[in-house]
Amino acid sequence: MPAILLLAAGASTRLGRPKQLLEYQDKTLLRRAAETAVTTAAGAPVVVVTGAQHEALLPQLTGLPVAVARCLAWERGMGASLKFGLAVLRSLCATWTDVIVLLCDQPHVSTALLGQLEQLRTTSGQPIVATEYAGVRGVPVLFGPEAVRWCQHLPDGAGAAQLLRQHPELVAAVPFPAGAVDVDTEAQYAALLAG
């Protein structure tokens, strides 16, 4: 299995409270995403990148075989957190080649979906396998070795989506309509709970 990088460093400024700690189906979004990552990884390394809410998030990761790493440069943007997380992964285990990047605010991400990313990577041979929803390709996304190298040169303020736009011919995609459901505002959270 690929290594997994779960990015949870943001301050949730649009929401006004830590989205990582919002509850959905009796678990916080962070705990749900971390458990999905651990199950999918099947022993491969899982790194959770925290930042703004580091201390508040730690109890949600208790008992899980994950490495928690605080990105002090989280305010610079998702690219900074992504590059930091990749560096932590390299320091933990030099043997992985592929990495799945996911966020905690997409509550419908499942182990089955992440498995589909790996299967399509094998069958397509493409260096990037993204999910596709609402007419865009995005996270969760699997990066092969060459794409991981590209990630290391992203600007701090740019996320994985920039790579997907720069190299569309190198991206295979798994349909994930529910990927459009994320939680950035109170209205989106209310819709999730009502849904």
Side-chain angles (χ1 to χ4, degrees):
M1 276 308 299
I4 299 185
L5 193 56
L6 173 56
L7 302 181
S12 309
T13 50
R14 277 194 285 172
L15 186 67
R17 57 182 170 140
K19 70 170 76 174
Q20 301 94 324
L21 299 179
L22 295 178
E23 293 218 352
Y24 177 61
Q25 294 181 348
D26 300 322
K27 291 180 184 174
T28 63
L29 295 182
L30 177 60
R31 182 76 186 196
R32 169 179 291 277
E35 288 180 355
T36 299
V38 167
T39 302
T40 303
V46 176
V47 172
V48 180
V49 178
T50 64
Q53 307 290 339
H54 176 73
E55 296 296 337
L57 301 186
L58 291 177
Q60 294 302 317
L61 301 169
T62 300
L64 294 177
V66 300
V68 183
R70 185 178 195 175
C71 177
L72 298 178
W74 66 269
E75 286 181 282
R76 294 183 190 161
M78 196 172 291
S81 295
L82 176 59
K83 290 182 289 186
F84 173 78
L86 290 172
V88 172
L89 268 176
R90 276 196 308 277
S91 72
L92 290 176
C93 178
T95 57
W96 61 270
T97 56
D98 291 5
V99 59
I100 292 174
V101 178
L102 67 152
L103 309 176
C104 66
D105 67 350
Q106 291 175 301
H108 300 303
V109 169
S110 65
T111 300
L113 174 73
L114 300 182
Q116 287 178 339
L117 295 179
E118 187 190 19
Q119 290 165 2
L120 186 55
R121 165 99 169 104
T122 301
T123 57
S124 71
Q126 292 286 60
I128 303 173
V129 181
T131 49
E132 189 165 28
Y133 42 87
V136 298
R137 292 173 173 178
V139 289
V141 60
L142 187 154
F143 292 119
E146 62 187 292
V148 168
R149 288 193 292 274
W150 299 332
C151 287
Q152 292 162 353
H153 301 290
L154 277 172
D156 286 350
Q162 179 167 314
L163 278 185
L164 305 185
R165 289 192 299 270
Q166 286 175 338
H167 304 282
E169 74 286 0
L170 300 178
V171 181
V174 171
F176 177 41
V181 178
D182 64 8
V183 184
D184 287 321
T185 66
E186 290 290 351
Q188 287 172 332
Y189 182 45
L192 172 67
L193 295 179

